[in-house]
Amino acid sequence: MSIKARSKVWNYFDIPEDDQFVAVCNVCKSHISRCGVGKKSSTSSLLKHLKFKHTEEYRKIQEQRQGEISENFKPNQRLITNFIKKTKTWDITDARSIEMHKAIAEMIALDNQPYTLVTDRG
Ligand SMILES: [Zn+2]
């Protein structure tokens, strides 16, 4: 995969043959640092340049990205935020948490179980 295929930002920049550390803006011909070469380089400085200097081009990139996201999104695919919500443990003040604590305390008291019961695997 070429660099150009990876990021939409490359529609607006070229890398000069004599200096791989910079990218040249196709709009204003400014030289922008790529903060490295190859895999170490980053497009964030290029994106930032578009964001502040060429708002119209930046808006186009954002629109294309949004289009790709909705194209790739399948309705049955769960959103990562939903997944995070599900794996998050209950807060100690959560009603469900309080209810569980009460139930466990009741079980320990009624069945005369040791407190270490809560550290058991089950
Ligand atoms: Zn520019």
Side-chain angles (χ1 to χ4, degrees):
M1 188 191 292
S2 74
I3 289 171
K4 287 193 178 206
R6 269 192 285 150
S7 176
K8 300 285 177 229
V9 84
W10 290 110
N11 294 338
Y12 303 100
F13 290 94
D14 279 319
I15 300 167
E17 276 178 23
D18 58 339
D19 190 355
Q20 300 284 300
F21 283 90
V22 297
V24 179
C25 173
N26 291 338
V27 184
C28 69
K29 304 295 172 198
S30 289
H31 284 58
I32 314 295
S33 170
R34 297 174 59 214
C35 308
V37 176
K39 283 186 177 175
K40 283 182 179 174
S41 68
S42 159
T43 55
S44 54
S45 56
L46 310 181
L47 204 58
K48 212 178 277 177
H49 174 80
L50 287 180
K51 187 176 182 180
F52 294 107
K53 302 279 182 184
H54 315 294
T55 48
E56 183 60 26
E57 285 76 6
Y58 181 75
R59 194 183 56 77
K60 277 181 196 164
I61 288 179
Q62 296 303 96
E63 277 176 6
Q64 283 173 334
R65 280 181 168 180
Q66 281 302 316
E68 279 172 15
I69 289 167
S70 41
E71 260 175 42
N72 294 331
F73 182 76
K74 296 181 183 87
N76 63 350
Q77 226 172 17
R78 284 191 300 164
L79 288 171
I80 191 81
T81 49
N82 290 348
F83 179 74
I84 290 166
K85 251 186 241 166
K86 278 200 168 179
T87 55
K88 197 182 167 207
T89 53
W90 296 338
D91 190 81
I92 194 84
T93 56
D94 191 293
R96 293 169 297 183
S97 184
I98 291 168
E99 199 179 312
M100 282 291 170
H101 279 106
K102 268 188 187 170
I104 292 167
E106 227 173 71
M107 185 176 73
I108 289 170
L110 287 176
D111 299 342
N112 204 20
Q113 293 284 342
Y115 292 118
T116 54
L117 175 82
V118 292
T119 60
D120 290 349
R121 192 165 171 261

